[in-house]
Amino acid sequence: MGQQLPEPRCPLPHYALPTANSSARRRALKSTSPPYSSGSTSSLSKLRSPPSKITPSYYPYVANINLERTARLWKAVMSKQGKQDEKELPQYLKPAQSSIRKIRGNEAPIGVSRGVAAPQPTAKSVRTTGSASTTTRTTKSAGTTSTRITGTQLTAAGTDAGIKPKTAKVTDKEFATEVLRPYGITIEFNGQSREYDHFGFMGLPDKSEDRVQAYKKKLPHVTVWVENVKEEDVQSQYNFMKHQRCNNAQYSRYALRIFFLEEQQHLTLGGERWVPYSTAELVWGPKGEWVTPPILDGMHPRPYDWDYRTDVTYWTPSEAFEPNYREIISTMTSEVHQRGFCPYLTIEFKRDGLKYEVAQCQVAVAAAMSLFNRYRLKCLTLEATGQQWSNEDKSQMRHYGITFMGSQWKVWCIRPKRTQGWDGCKMEAIYYNDCHTSVGVSRLIRFINDIHYWGLAVHGQSCMDDILALDKARVEARKQKEEEAIDVSVLESSSVLSLRTSQSSQLKS
């Protein structure tokens, strides 16, 4: 009998007791015990560590393979893997550029131990986000230095290396400085506007209810007017949603049901109707006659594709034109669904303040695109007709936006900084309030109705007039070119005929 294992100090549970199979295996291994084992009790300590040389006898139940050859192959594979160039690694295995830029003193990214010199950003590792300056920062910690690239100027190193900068998103923290500012788009908030009647409509009642009735007489087909709303019910609903911590979808759904209504649409367009066309969650961007604003001289913005999606947008209706003239809209400016053009109001909803700046940037992008294309249409019309900017034209160059953060709202007015050449635009908050108060509800209703009236009766009418005037000027210019071509051909034919007559007379003489 072989050496028995020492008895445990305390009784073992049933599941820990040796089984018959384990006892049989121990008896079978008696004759094939490793050469380094002995029959003494001290041999148990030797079994805990593997031998210096891998031998098949140490692994009696492993298949009959060449373990030494397998170990050599595995070592060769791992050595080649360790020496693999970083360029061959997939993108998700490479160290993030943000971790490289954040090396300061004892702070180090993954793979860089503390006290070890960190890798310096090179032309291939620095993310080119476009900036006005480059800042070099030296940290005297364990003799290390680190360089930090900031700002928005497109560095020459990144351009020479052929590295394409990452496309910007509206959710980026530096979107306003890296994208909007190089295009001349600024967001300003100078406090509460004390001007109650921002639009300055003449000959209209001062009271909101009487104004809506006057709007209905001037625009009888429009049904998006906000009226017959009980302010107490609106306050109660917003208090309930705040107490229940409702999400953004519930806030926006309630606002769309009470404040931002939608006109009834039909499959086929009828006669002339001044009714706004609204879109929800529409993804829109540059295409055709819808172009992006120009970059200011000397500025290098971060790449941005200008594809944006707004919660709600109101457009000037294509039905305002006569049916025979609706096809010319898309040749002058962009038209959405063949139903609307030249938007005048953009709305964005956010539940809390963490994403409220994102809502402002979304409105800024959509408003800047809309305002610049409206400005472009006016410039084309004035150039074709030979006219100059009037004070009325300058006053009509604007776009409106409304941002919601829960029950709080702001009304924004976006205007060009100047009309004699595009120099960007300014997005300014003209009023703000809260739907938890009766004053906030009544002021919001009045602003919405006034914007709808301005967007149709002032902005929409001006856009339609410009399109018709531009089309008329182009038709006249085309006719004039055709007449000039006819005159030239007649002159050429008459000159050829006179030349032939003179030649024939010379031959006769």
Side-chain angles (χ1 to χ4, degrees):
M1 298 295 291
Q3 181 76 21
Q4 297 294 330
L5 293 173
E7 294 294 333
R9 297 181 180 178
C10 59
L12 294 175
H14 175 72
Y15 59 84
L17 293 176
T19 61
N21 292 335
S22 62
S23 301
R25 282 197 299 271
R26 285 199 301 272
R27 288 193 297 270
L29 289 175
K30 179 180 179 182
S31 60
T32 58
S33 60
Y36 49 81
S37 67
S38 64
S40 61
T41 309
S42 61
S43 63
L44 294 175
S45 61
K46 297 181 180 180
L47 289 174
R48 295 191 183 99
S49 60
S52 59
K53 185 177 180 181
I54 300 176
T55 59
S57 61
Y58 183 72
Y59 302 101
Y61 299 104
V62 179
N64 187 16
I65 59 175
N66 192 337
L67 298 179
E68 295 182 357
R69 182 174 179 273
T70 303
R72 288 197 304 269
L73 291 175
W74 180 251
K75 184 177 181 180
V77 170
M78 294 305 296
S79 62
K80 292 181 180 179
Q81 183 70 19
K83 295 180 181 179
Q84 185 179 9
D85 190 3
E86 186 182 353
K87 295 181 180 179
E88 299 178 2
L89 292 175
Q91 185 65 31
Y92 59 85
L93 291 179
K94 295 181 180 180
Q97 301 302 326
S98 59
S99 62
I100 297 177
R101 290 195 301 270
K102 289 181 180 179
I103 300 174
R104 296 179 188 145
N106 292 331
E107 182 181 354
I110 298 176
V112 180
S113 58
R114 295 185 178 182
V116 179
Q120 297 299 320
T122 60
K124 295 184 179 181
S125 64
V126 175
R127 181 170 65 100
T128 55
T129 58
S131 92
S133 63
T134 301
T135 303
T136 303
R137 181 169 181 170
T138 304
T139 306
K140 295 183 179 180
S141 175
T144 63
T145 59
S146 61
T147 304
R148 183 185 178 192
I149 308 299
T150 60
T152 58
Q153 184 178 11
L154 192 63
T155 58
T159 305
D160 297 339
I163 303 299
K164 184 179 180 181
K166 186 178 179 180
T167 303
K169 298 180 181 180
V170 184
T171 54
D172 293 342
K173 186 177 181 180
E174 302 297 332
F175 183 83
T177 57
E178 293 183 352
V179 177
L180 297 182
R181 186 177 297 175
Y183 286 90
I185 305 170
T186 57
I187 302 176
E188 299 180 5
F189 181 69
N190 299 324
Q192 185 86 319
S193 175
R194 298 183 179 276
E195 185 180 4
Y196 183 72
D197 192 355
H198 164 79
F199 301 91
F201 295 142
M202 303 300 294
L204 291 176
D206 222 7
K207 198 174 180 181
S208 297
E209 294 79 4
D210 297 338
R211 267 201 181 193
V212 172
Q213 298 303 322
Y215 292 159
K216 287 183 176 181
K217 293 180 180 179
K218 293 180 177 294
L219 300 170
H221 299 290
V222 178
T223 61
V224 296
W225 310 116
V226 184
E227 56 181 342
N228 301 325
V229 176
K230 295 183 179 180
E231 299 174 0
E232 297 81 5
D233 294 344
V234 176
Q235 293 177 248
S236 176
Q237 181 65 25
Y238 274 103
N239 288 328
F240 169 78
M241 291 190 293
K242 181 179 180 180
H243 181 267
Q244 296 296 327
R245 297 182 179 180
C246 295
N247 56 24
N248 186 52
Q250 291 174 296
Y251 275 101
S252 60
R253 183 179 61 181
Y254 180 74
L256 292 175
R257 182 167 61 89
I258 300 298
F259 300 120
F260 306 107
L261 308 180
E262 183 180 6
E263 290 285 350
Q264 177 66 43
Q265 299 293 330
H266 303 280
L267 184 60
T268 57
L269 297 178
E272 298 179 50
R273 287 200 318 157
W274 278 98
V275 291
Y277 180 67
S278 61
T279 57
E281 298 289 340
L282 175 67
V283 179
W284 203 244
K287 62 177 181 179
E289 295 296 327
W290 198 251
V291 298
T292 60
I295 303 172
L296 299 184
D297 294 338
M299 303 297 290
H300 302 280
R302 190 172 159 192
Y304 181 59
D305 53 14
W306 285 88
D307 289 335
Y308 55 91
R309 181 179 65 181
T310 54
D311 289 336
V312 181
T313 305
Y314 285 94
W315 305 70
T316 304
S318 301
E319 288 184 281
F321 283 83
E322 295 181 7
N324 296 333
Y325 285 94
R326 289 171 185 168
E327 60 183 11
I328 68 172
I329 298 176
S330 59
T331 63
M332 311 291 177
T333 185
S334 182
E335 187 180 17
V336 56
H337 304 158
Q338 296 183 345
R339 298 285 177 136
F341 65 99
C342 292
Y344 62 88
L345 175 60
T346 302
I347 300 112
E348 276 294 327
F349 299 97
K350 290 293 181 287
R351 189 181 71 87
D352 49 41
L354 297 178
K355 297 183 179 180
Y356 192 61
E357 293 183 359
V358 176
Q360 295 179 3
C361 291
Q362 287 176 322
V363 172
V365 169
M369 280 281 283
S370 303
L371 183 62
F372 174 72
N373 283 274
R374 174 68 188 101
Y375 171 84
R376 176 174 173 267
L377 176 61
K378 173 61 72 174
C379 291
L380 292 175
T381 304
L382 295 178
E383 182 181 359
T385 57
Q387 300 178 359
Q388 300 294 329
W389 283 90
S390 64
N391 294 332
E392 185 178 0
D393 295 335
K394 296 177 182 179
S395 176
Q396 293 171 359
M397 292 296 111
R398 63 177 79 171
H399 185 92
Y400 287 96
I402 300 178
T403 54
F404 269 83
M405 185 184 66
S407 61
Q408 301 176 7
W409 54 270
K410 287 181 183 178
V411 178
W412 304 84
C413 182
I414 301 89
R415 295 173 176 171
K417 294 181 178 179
R418 64 188 185 97
T419 55
Q420 303 299 326
W422 181 262
D423 195 25
C425 58
K426 179 174 65 174
M427 175 176 165
E428 184 179 6
I430 59 175
Y431 201 87
Y432 70 93
N433 215 308
D434 198 314
C435 287
H436 284 143
T437 64
S438 59
V439 176
V441 176
S442 61
R443 291 290 177 89
L444 176 61
I445 292 175
R446 172 158 180 163
F447 265 107
I448 293 173
N449 291 330
D450 288 348
I451 291 174
H452 279 311
Y453 179 78
W454 175 88
L456 297 174
V458 181
H459 166 82
Q461 186 65 49
S462 176
C463 294
M464 187 177 70
D465 294 342
D466 288 345
I467 290 176
L468 294 176
L470 180 58
D471 179 68
K472 182 179 179 181
R474 288 180 176 179
V475 170
E476 293 178 353
R478 194 180 304 115
K479 288 182 179 179
Q480 185 177 359
K481 288 183 178 180
E482 292 176 355
E483 292 176 357
E484 291 177 355
I486 294 174
D487 294 339
V488 170
S489 60
V490 170
L491 181 61
E492 290 178 351
S493 60
S494 61
S495 62
V496 170
L497 181 60
S498 61
L499 179 60
R500 290 179 179 178
T501 305
S502 61
Q503 290 177 353
S504 61
S505 61
Q506 290 177 1
L507 291 174
K508 291 181 180 179
S509 61

